Amino acid sequence: MNLEHALKDPIFKIISTTADELDIACYVVGGFVRDYILKRHTGQDIDIVAIGSGIELAKLVAKKLTHRPKVSVFKTYGTAMLRHKDIEIEFVGARKESYSKESRNPEVKNGTLEDDQKRRDFTINALAIGLNTSNFGTLLDPFNGVLDLKNKRIVTPLDPNVTFSDDPLRMLRAIRFATQLDFEIDSHSFEAIKENYQRIDIITNERIVVELHKILESPKPSIGFLLLEKTGLLELILPELTALKGIDEVEGQRHKDNFYHTLEVVDNIALHTNNVWLRWTALLHDIGKAPTKRFSKKVGWTFHGHELKGSKMVYHMFKRLKMPLNDKMKYVQKLVFMSSRPIALASKHITDAAVRRLVFDAGEYIDDLMTLCEADITTKNPRKFKKYHNNFKIVRQKMVEVEERDRIRNFQPPVTGEEIMNAFHLKPCREIGMIKEYIKEAILEGQIPNERVAAYALMLKKGTELGLKQHDETKI
Ligand code: CTP
């Protein structure tokens, strides 16, 4: 097969003539070739394999580029990287050992192209296109990767036990590619993951999280989480999720399986948002249910306080996986904490006051919270499904009305602490906080509008009730 049309970018001709000059055979390999054949346009970085020194080739290529990019050299790995326009181009000498950027054993033995291809993770990632003038555009596919692309199969070039023990992260990568591309993992490879899953413990959390992100960013993330669960990997990586599995029955009363429910919620939300942190929220919104699950004869199954418990668990999980403990984590925590609020509204009569309170508490996260809660509706009862969605429409409509009138979303107290101090001639004291809280509550309850005049009058009334003396010059 000739794939010269994949090499339209002038950079390939530059690499080609440079490689000819140095008398080095070189090829473009991996994700670039795979995605080109799949017509996946991912702004793909380029991996070049050289039969010889990839570093030397990279340096000479850089010299020929008008912008003279900097070449980053990683001598131990025999690799070099340069940036050209928006793409990273990585050059590596063909290896006999396993190909992994972060291989634990970086000692590199030179090999042929085929040596290099067979030590890659999957046949679909082991495709190479010739770059020298003599074979410019020729596809080299010794492991039938093109056929596997056609048949949508993830297969290792070697015995999967060898491929996975070379780099156990590849077990996760198999599942990630199966999810991203909607491919099937070959049964031998799948069995090998089931046998070797515990080896994931030698992989750093950072690399694991990269794969989890990619699974979550896929169109249907449940594919990946189901595979993770079936292979045993999920139990090791995210035990909070496997703890949600199962349905208990006591005295004929059952609760739903919160694991499968969670996966439905994640798939639902993936249809409405590409925000990966909102997708994380969907994945974690019920994790507090496992430790809070109780049964009582009176009310059946309950999960009291699971939202608070879940938001605390988010912190521990992020910490364990070395995920950022920053505003992203706080966002996930807050949404998990509030995840039942709109649902409670949507199942009963909706008052303006309840909507105002919800908007006030959620603040800038209100839209994402609503998206989460709509995704959370997984009932199979069509009547209830319709009812909940209709109620959410009403909540959203009311939110618009209430916001227009009361500007709750970015609530600023209409009377400041300083004004309260002036009005009653006070030094800082707890009465100021009490009055502010009283005004806020009155606005949220709809007793007064969110306006200064009404709020000021209420302040004077409440202050007097608290026994404070009005300052003589107090004016509205
Ligand atoms: N590779 C491998 N084993 C790994 C990681 C990478 O064999 N653990 C090889 C594969 O041939 C892969 C190439 O290195 O195609 C480049 O790796 P990477 O950039 O991580 O992945 P891509 O395949 O390019 O895919 P994506 O960009 O979607 O991650």
Side-chain angles (χ1 to χ4, degrees), residues 167-181:
D167 179 4
L169 183 75
R170 289 168 168 176
M171 298 186 288
L172 263 185
R173 282 173 62 93
I175 291 174
R176 183 259 285 194
F177 284 118
T179 316
Q180 274 183 327
L181 306 175

mmCIF file with all atom_site columns, all heavy atoms in Angstrom, residues 167-181:
data_model
loop_
_atom_site.group_PDB
_atom_site.id
_atom_site.type_symbol
_atom_site.label_atom_id
_atom_site.label_alt_id
_atom_site.label_comp_id
_atom_site.label_asym_id
_atom_site.label_entity_id
_atom_site.label_seq_id
_atom_site.pdbx_PDB_ins_code
_atom_site.Cartn_x
_atom_site.Cartn_y
_atom_site.Cartn_z
_atom_site.occupancy
_atom_site.B_iso_or_equiv
_atom_site.pdbx_formal_charge
_atom_site.auth_seq_id
_atom_site.auth_comp_id
_atom_site.auth_asym_id
_atom_site.auth_atom_id
_atom_site.pdbx_PDB_model_num
ATOM 1   N N   . ASP A 1 167 ? 5.675   -3.499 29.510 1.00 0.00 ? 167 ASP A N   1
ATOM 2   C CA  . ASP A 1 167 ? 5.147   -2.252 30.065 1.00 0.00 ? 167 ASP A CA  1
ATOM 3   C C   . ASP A 1 167 ? 3.679   -2.475 30.449 1.00 0.00 ? 167 ASP A C   1
ATOM 4   O O   . ASP A 1 167 ? 2.796   -2.454 29.588 1.00 0.00 ? 167 ASP A O   1
ATOM 5   C CB  . ASP A 1 167 ? 5.261   -1.112 29.040 1.00 0.00 ? 167 ASP A CB  1
ATOM 6   C CG  . ASP A 1 167 ? 4.694   0.187  29.588 1.00 0.00 ? 167 ASP A CG  1
ATOM 7   O OD1 . ASP A 1 167 ? 4.295   0.216  30.770 1.00 0.00 ? 167 ASP A OD1 1
ATOM 8   O OD2 . ASP A 1 167 ? 4.640   1.172  28.835 1.00 0.00 ? 167 ASP A OD2 1
ATOM 9   N N   . PRO A 1 168 ? 3.436   -2.732 31.739 1.00 0.00 ? 168 PRO A N   1
ATOM 10  C CA  . PRO A 1 168 ? 2.062   -3.060 32.168 1.00 0.00 ? 168 PRO A CA  1
ATOM 11  C C   . PRO A 1 168 ? 1.046   -1.949 31.893 1.00 0.00 ? 168 PRO A C   1
ATOM 12  O O   . PRO A 1 168 ? -0.151  -2.217 31.873 1.00 0.00 ? 168 PRO A O   1
ATOM 13  C CB  . PRO A 1 168 ? 2.205   -3.305 33.669 1.00 0.00 ? 168 PRO A CB  1
ATOM 14  C CG  . PRO A 1 168 ? 3.640   -3.649 33.871 1.00 0.00 ? 168 PRO A CG  1
ATOM 15  C CD  . PRO A 1 168 ? 4.396   -2.872 32.848 1.00 0.00 ? 168 PRO A CD  1
ATOM 16  N N   . LEU A 1 169 ? 1.518   -0.721 31.670 1.00 0.00 ? 169 LEU A N   1
ATOM 17  C CA  . LEU A 1 169 ? 0.553   0.335  31.347 1.00 0.00 ? 169 LEU A CA  1
ATOM 18  C C   . LEU A 1 169 ? -0.234  -0.031 30.085 1.00 0.00 ? 169 LEU A C   1
ATOM 19  O O   . LEU A 1 169 ? -1.356  0.420  29.878 1.00 0.00 ? 169 LEU A O   1
ATOM 20  C CB  . LEU A 1 169 ? 1.255   1.678  31.131 1.00 0.00 ? 169 LEU A CB  1
ATOM 21  C CG  . LEU A 1 169 ? 0.280   2.840  30.856 1.00 0.00 ? 169 LEU A CG  1
ATOM 22  C CD1 . LEU A 1 169 ? -0.416  3.273  32.139 1.00 0.00 ? 169 LEU A CD1 1
ATOM 23  C CD2 . LEU A 1 169 ? 0.953   4.024  30.207 1.00 0.00 ? 169 LEU A CD2 1
ATOM 24  N N   . ARG A 1 170 ? 0.380   -0.857 29.254 1.00 0.00 ? 170 ARG A N   1
ATOM 25  C CA  . ARG A 1 170 ? -0.275  -1.227 27.998 1.00 0.00 ? 170 ARG A CA  1
ATOM 26  C C   . ARG A 1 170 ? -1.612  -1.928 28.228 1.00 0.00 ? 170 ARG A C   1
ATOM 27  O O   . ARG A 1 170 ? -2.484  -1.894 27.355 1.00 0.00 ? 170 ARG A O   1
ATOM 28  C CB  . ARG A 1 170 ? 0.654   -2.123 27.183 1.00 0.00 ? 170 ARG A CB  1
ATOM 29  C CG  . ARG A 1 170 ? 1.837   -1.343 26.637 1.00 0.00 ? 170 ARG A CG  1
ATOM 30  C CD  . ARG A 1 170 ? 2.885   -2.256 26.092 1.00 0.00 ? 170 ARG A CD  1
ATOM 31  N NE  . ARG A 1 170 ? 3.878   -1.522 25.322 1.00 0.00 ? 170 ARG A NE  1
ATOM 32  C CZ  . ARG A 1 170 ? 4.943   -2.096 24.797 1.00 0.00 ? 170 ARG A CZ  1
ATOM 33  N NH1 . ARG A 1 170 ? 5.155   -3.388 24.979 1.00 0.00 ? 170 ARG A NH1 1
ATOM 34  N NH2 . ARG A 1 170 ? 5.794   -1.378 24.106 1.00 0.00 ? 170 ARG A NH2 1
ATOM 35  N N   . MET A 1 171 ? -1.798  -2.537 29.386 1.00 0.00 ? 171 MET A N   1
ATOM 36  C CA  . MET A 1 171 ? -3.107  -3.152 29.680 1.00 0.00 ? 171 MET A CA  1
ATOM 37  C C   . MET A 1 171 ? -4.168  -2.058 29.717 1.00 0.00 ? 171 MET A C   1
ATOM 38  O O   . MET A 1 171 ? -5.263  -2.218 29.183 1.00 0.00 ? 171 MET A O   1
ATOM 39  C CB  . MET A 1 171 ? -3.042  -3.890 31.024 1.00 0.00 ? 171 MET A CB  1
ATOM 40  C CG  . MET A 1 171 ? -2.032  -5.023 31.032 1.00 0.00 ? 171 MET A CG  1
ATOM 41  S SD  . MET A 1 171 ? -2.096  -5.993 32.553 1.00 0.00 ? 171 MET A SD  1
ATOM 42  C CE  . MET A 1 171 ? -1.401  -4.885 33.747 1.00 0.00 ? 171 MET A CE  1
ATOM 43  N N   . LEU A 1 172 ? -3.798  -0.959 30.331 1.00 0.00 ? 172 LEU A N   1
ATOM 44  C CA  . LEU A 1 172 ? -4.732  0.179  30.385 1.00 0.00 ? 172 LEU A CA  1
ATOM 45  C C   . LEU A 1 172 ? -4.879  0.824  29.015 1.00 0.00 ? 172 LEU A C   1
ATOM 46  O O   . LEU A 1 172 ? -5.957  1.269  28.640 1.00 0.00 ? 172 LEU A O   1
ATOM 47  C CB  . LEU A 1 172 ? -4.197  1.245  31.349 1.00 0.00 ? 172 LEU A CB  1
ATOM 48  C CG  . LEU A 1 172 ? -4.709  1.263  32.758 1.00 0.00 ? 172 LEU A CG  1
ATOM 49  C CD1 . LEU A 1 172 ? -4.144  2.483  33.487 1.00 0.00 ? 172 LEU A CD1 1
ATOM 50  C CD2 . LEU A 1 172 ? -6.224  1.368  32.766 1.00 0.00 ? 172 LEU A CD2 1
ATOM 51  N N   . ARG A 1 173 ? -3.764  0.903  28.301 1.00 0.00 ? 173 ARG A N   1
ATOM 52  C CA  . ARG A 1 173 ? -3.823  1.479  26.955 1.00 0.00 ? 173 ARG A CA  1
ATOM 53  C C   . ARG A 1 173 ? -4.746  0.656  26.057 1.00 0.00 ? 173 ARG A C   1
ATOM 54  O O   . ARG A 1 173 ? -5.494  1.211  25.249 1.00 0.00 ? 173 ARG A O   1
ATOM 55  C CB  . ARG A 1 173 ? -2.420  1.571  26.332 1.00 0.00 ? 173 ARG A CB  1
ATOM 56  C CG  . ARG A 1 173 ? -1.608  2.751  26.863 1.00 0.00 ? 173 ARG A CG  1
ATOM 57  C CD  . ARG A 1 173 ? -0.172  2.720  26.350 1.00 0.00 ? 173 ARG A CD  1
ATOM 58  N NE  . ARG A 1 173 ? -0.013  2.813  24.904 1.00 0.00 ? 173 ARG A NE  1
ATOM 59  C CZ  . ARG A 1 173 ? 0.178   3.938  24.224 1.00 0.00 ? 173 ARG A CZ  1
ATOM 60  N NH1 . ARG A 1 173 ? 0.197   5.094  24.852 1.00 0.00 ? 173 ARG A NH1 1
ATOM 61  N NH2 . ARG A 1 173 ? 0.351   3.915  22.913 1.00 0.00 ? 173 ARG A NH2 1
ATOM 62  N N   . ALA A 1 174 ? -4.720  -0.676 26.199 1.00 0.00 ? 174 ALA A N   1
ATOM 63  C CA  . ALA A 1 174 ? -5.603  -1.521 25.391 1.00 0.00 ? 174 ALA A CA  1
ATOM 64  C C   . ALA A 1 174 ? -7.054  -1.122 25.642 1.00 0.00 ? 174 ALA A C   1
ATOM 65  O O   . ALA A 1 174 ? -7.841  -0.934 24.705 1.00 0.00 ? 174 ALA A O   1
ATOM 66  C CB  . ALA A 1 174 ? -5.391  -2.989 25.742 1.00 0.00 ? 174 ALA A CB  1
ATOM 67  N N   . ILE A 1 175 ? -7.375  -0.955 26.911 1.00 0.00 ? 175 ILE A N   1
ATOM 68  C CA  . ILE A 1 175 ? -8.753  -0.600 27.276 1.00 0.00 ? 175 ILE A CA  1
ATOM 69  C C   . ILE A 1 175 ? -9.076  0.822  26.810 1.00 0.00 ? 175 ILE A C   1
ATOM 70  O O   . ILE A 1 175 ? -10.165 1.093  26.302 1.00 0.00 ? 175 ILE A O   1
ATOM 71  C CB  . ILE A 1 175 ? -8.947  -0.773 28.798 1.00 0.00 ? 175 ILE A CB  1
ATOM 72  C CG1 . ILE A 1 175 ? -8.883  -2.272 29.126 1.00 0.00 ? 175 ILE A CG1 1
ATOM 73  C CG2 . ILE A 1 175 ? -10.249 -0.138 29.275 1.00 0.00 ? 175 ILE A CG2 1
ATOM 74  C CD1 . ILE A 1 175 ? -8.923  -2.611 30.603 1.00 0.00 ? 175 ILE A CD1 1
ATOM 75  N N   . ARG A 1 176 ? -8.095  1.697  26.928 1.00 0.00 ? 176 ARG A N   1
ATOM 76  C CA  . ARG A 1 176 ? -8.320  3.077  26.474 1.00 0.00 ? 176 ARG A CA  1
ATOM 77  C C   . ARG A 1 176 ? -8.584  3.120  24.957 1.00 0.00 ? 176 ARG A C   1
ATOM 78  O O   . ARG A 1 176 ? -9.518  3.774  24.497 1.00 0.00 ? 176 ARG A O   1
ATOM 79  C CB  . ARG A 1 176 ? -7.106  3.925  26.850 1.00 0.00 ? 176 ARG A CB  1
ATOM 80  C CG  . ARG A 1 176 ? -7.252  5.375  26.489 1.00 0.00 ? 176 ARG A CG  1
ATOM 81  C CD  . ARG A 1 176 ? -6.517  5.736  25.233 1.00 0.00 ? 176 ARG A CD  1
ATOM 82  N NE  . ARG A 1 176 ? -5.091  5.821  25.474 1.00 0.00 ? 176 ARG A NE  1
ATOM 83  C CZ  . ARG A 1 176 ? -4.241  6.369  24.626 1.00 0.00 ? 176 ARG A CZ  1
ATOM 84  N NH1 . ARG A 1 176 ? -4.675  6.870  23.494 1.00 0.00 ? 176 ARG A NH1 1
ATOM 85  N NH2 . ARG A 1 176 ? -2.954  6.395  24.891 1.00 0.00 ? 176 ARG A NH2 1
ATOM 86  N N   . PHE A 1 177 ? -7.766  2.391  24.173 1.00 0.00 ? 177 PHE A N   1
ATOM 87  C CA  . PHE A 1 177 ? -7.987  2.405  22.722 1.00 0.00 ? 177 PHE A CA  1
ATOM 88  C C   . PHE A 1 177 ? -9.332  1.756  22.383 1.00 0.00 ? 177 PHE A C   1
ATOM 89  O O   . PHE A 1 177 ? -10.044 2.218  21.497 1.00 0.00 ? 177 PHE A O   1
ATOM 90  C CB  . PHE A 1 177 ? -6.848  1.696  21.979 1.00 0.00 ? 177 PHE A CB  1
ATOM 91  C CG  . PHE A 1 177 ? -5.589  2.527  21.883 1.00 0.00 ? 177 PHE A CG  1
ATOM 92  C CD1 . PHE A 1 177 ? -4.398  2.113  22.467 1.00 0.00 ? 177 PHE A CD1 1
ATOM 93  C CD2 . PHE A 1 177 ? -5.596  3.738  21.206 1.00 0.00 ? 177 PHE A CD2 1
ATOM 94  C CE1 . PHE A 1 177 ? -3.244  2.893  22.388 1.00 0.00 ? 177 PHE A CE1 1
ATOM 95  C CE2 . PHE A 1 177 ? -4.455  4.525  21.115 1.00 0.00 ? 177 PHE A CE2 1
ATOM 96  C CZ  . PHE A 1 177 ? -3.274  4.100  21.706 1.00 0.00 ? 177 PHE A CZ  1
ATOM 97  N N   . ALA A 1 178 ? -9.661  0.667  23.084 1.00 0.00 ? 178 ALA A N   1
ATOM 98  C CA  . ALA A 1 178 ? -10.952 0.006  22.828 1.00 0.00 ? 178 ALA A CA  1
ATOM 99  C C   . ALA A 1 178 ? -12.093 1.000  23.052 1.00 0.00 ? 178 ALA A C   1
ATOM 100 O O   . ALA A 1 178 ? -13.081 1.000  22.322 1.00 0.00 ? 178 ALA A O   1
ATOM 101 C CB  . ALA A 1 178 ? -11.112 -1.202 23.740 1.00 0.00 ? 178 ALA A CB  1
ATOM 102 N N   . THR A 1 179 ? -11.939 1.863  24.051 1.00 0.00 ? 179 THR A N   1
ATOM 103 C CA  . THR A 1 179 ? -12.991 2.836  24.371 1.00 0.00 ? 179 THR A CA  1
ATOM 104 C C   . THR A 1 179 ? -13.012 3.986  23.361 1.00 0.00 ? 179 THR A C   1
ATOM 105 O O   . THR A 1 179 ? -14.053 4.330  22.812 1.00 0.00 ? 179 THR A O   1
ATOM 106 C CB  . THR A 1 179 ? -12.760 3.414  25.788 1.00 0.00 ? 179 THR A CB  1
ATOM 107 O OG1 . THR A 1 179 ? -12.427 2.351  26.664 1.00 0.00 ? 179 THR A OG1 1
ATOM 108 C CG2 . THR A 1 179 ? -13.994 4.125  26.303 1.00 0.00 ? 179 THR A CG2 1
ATOM 109 N N   . GLN A 1 180 ? -11.819 4.556  23.116 1.00 0.00 ? 180 GLN A N   1
ATOM 110 C CA  . GLN A 1 180 ? -11.743 5.698  22.191 1.00 0.00 ? 180 GLN A CA  1
ATOM 111 C C   . GLN A 1 180 ? -12.215 5.321  20.793 1.00 0.00 ? 180 GLN A C   1
ATOM 112 O O   . GLN A 1 180 ? -12.915 6.095  20.144 1.00 0.00 ? 180 GLN A O   1
ATOM 113 C CB  . GLN A 1 180 ? -10.274 6.134  22.042 1.00 0.00 ? 180 GLN A CB  1
ATOM 114 C CG  . GLN A 1 180 ? -9.791  7.090  23.085 1.00 0.00 ? 180 GLN A CG  1
ATOM 115 C CD  . GLN A 1 180 ? -8.347  7.513  22.799 1.00 0.00 ? 180 GLN A CD  1
ATOM 116 O OE1 . GLN A 1 180 ? -7.526  6.746  22.276 1.00 0.00 ? 180 GLN A OE1 1
ATOM 117 N NE2 . GLN A 1 180 ? -8.024  8.755  23.152 1.00 0.00 ? 180 GLN A NE2 1
ATOM 118 N N   . LEU A 1 181 ? -11.794 4.139  20.342 1.00 0.00 ? 181 LEU A N   1
ATOM 119 C CA  . LEU A 1 181 ? -12.042 3.774  18.946 1.00 0.00 ? 181 LEU A CA  1
ATOM 120 C C   . LEU A 1 181 ? -13.240 2.847  18.783 1.00 0.00 ? 181 LEU A C   1
ATOM 121 O O   . LEU A 1 181 ? -13.608 2.522  17.669 1.00 0.00 ? 181 LEU A O   1
ATOM 122 C CB  . LEU A 1 181 ? -10.796 3.076  18.362 1.00 0.00 ? 181 LEU A CB  1
ATOM 123 C CG  . LEU A 1 181 ? -9.459  3.831  18.480 1.00 0.00 ? 181 LEU A CG  1
ATOM 124 C CD1 . LEU A 1 181 ? -8.313  2.955  17.961 1.00 0.00 ? 181 LEU A CD1 1
ATOM 125 C CD2 . LEU A 1 181 ? -9.516  5.134  17.685 1.00 0.00 ? 181 LEU A CD2 1
#
